[in-house]
Amino acid sequence: MKENEPTNLLKGYNMMLYFAGSMIMYEPTEECITDFWTNGALRRLPVSSSNPRFMKAASLLRESCTDKDICRQLLQDDYLRLFDDSGFHLASAHASHYLSDTNNDDVTYNEVGEFYKSYGWDSRSRIKRANDHLGTELLFLTSLVDRYLLLDDNASSDIMKSDIQRFITRHMLSWIPEWNERIQEHASTPGYKGIGILILACIEDLYSIFS
């Protein structure tokens, strides 16, 4: 990593995407509420940004949980309504639900899977989620950023920058803005509204950083 590049900034964005991705992949637990809300982690996000979306997300998350027990129940209810297959599924976390122009969910699933495969990355060995699940895509994006941080030559860094931008453009910004709109419409908690905006803002910021 070159001295003039924002190592700590990138690590900070990865931390936020790990948090946000976990809230999309798994039903919130008491431990999760304690770690992120009760202990104040969301009051002191690891980075700051001039992105208006980021600032709105930070504001929502700071004020989103005052009573731990009530908050956990409300977030769990929201998770089930928004994402769980057994619930209303109001904001599906699968890209194929939004990229429907092909009328074939397998196309989206396989395309993003090929991107994973090009890096020797197997989502099935890490999480039990589909290739096109938002949590899977976020985990892969953070792995690309981690790989970038380990590079020490300009040529390899430039290739990785290009791949990160290509992944964000092709497989994230192509559907996550619409997904976030559904979150804003259907989420009942400021916590999940904030998480939806945070994910989109972090992806936008990372794209800009790697430009």
Side-chain angles (χ1 to χ4, degrees):
M1 189 73 180
K2 280 62 66 185
E3 290 182 358
N4 63 340
E5 293 190 326
T7 305
N8 290 334
L9 183 66
L10 291 175
K11 289 180 178 179
Y13 276 107
N14 264 12
M15 287 175 60
M16 289 187 293
L17 290 179
Y18 282 132
F19 153 70
S22 70
M23 292 292 292
I24 303 301
M25 283 192 287
Y26 308 111
E27 185 177 334
T29 63
E30 182 174 351
E31 181 181 10
C32 168
I33 303 304
T34 299
D35 288 347
F36 295 120
W37 273 274
T38 309
N39 290 343
L42 293 179
R43 291 184 176 275
R44 50 181 187 276
L45 295 178
V47 305
S48 59
S49 170
S50 59
N51 184 335
R53 269 195 256 269
F54 187 98
M55 292 186 283
K56 182 176 181 180
S59 176
L60 282 169
L61 290 169
R62 276 196 299 268
E63 307 302 327
S64 62
C65 193
T66 53
D67 183 294
K68 181 178 71 172
D69 294 329
I70 294 175
C71 182
R72 176 168 59 88
Q73 186 60 57
L74 291 175
L75 286 170
Q76 287 176 337
D77 291 345
D78 233 5
Y79 176 90
L80 294 174
R81 290 173 59 255
L82 295 168
F83 312 123
D84 194 80
D85 289 337
S86 64
F88 290 104
H89 222 220
L90 297 176
S92 170
H94 293 270
S96 54
H97 289 196
Y98 303 88
L99 304 175
S100 58
D101 56 316
T102 62
N103 295 315
N104 186 349
D105 290 354
D106 289 341
V107 172
T108 301
Y109 181 94
N110 291 332
E111 280 187 359
V112 72
E114 288 302 313
F115 211 121
Y116 301 159
K117 190 182 298 183
S118 71
Y119 274 90
W121 196 84
D122 183 3
S123 65
R124 293 168 300 179
S125 67
R126 293 166 171 81
I127 53 175
K128 294 181 179 179
R129 290 285 187 261
N131 282 345
D132 70 329
H133 190 278
L134 177 56
T136 309
E137 293 191 0
L138 290 173
L139 193 61
F140 179 68
L141 177 60
T142 59
S143 77
L144 291 182
V145 174
D146 284 339
R147 290 182 187 223
Y148 174 79
L149 290 170
L150 295 175
L151 298 175
D152 59 4
D153 67 277
N154 289 329
S156 297
S157 295
D158 287 344
I159 292 171
M160 182 63 77
K161 284 181 181 180
S162 178
D163 278 356
I164 289 172
Q165 286 183 291
R166 186 161 57 91
F167 182 75
I168 289 175
T169 300
R170 178 68 184 89
H171 297 294
M172 305 192 90
L173 291 179
S174 55
W175 69 278
I176 289 174
E178 183 181 349
W179 169 80
N180 178 54
E181 288 178 6
R182 293 198 190 182
I183 292 290
Q184 302 314 308
E185 179 181 357
H186 296 296
S188 61
T189 58
Y192 269 111
K193 287 180 183 290
I195 287 167
I197 299 171
L198 182 70
I199 288 173
L200 179 54
C202 286
I203 292 169
E204 291 174 334
D205 286 358
L206 284 173
Y207 185 89
S208 295
I209 290 169
F210 286 108
S211 294

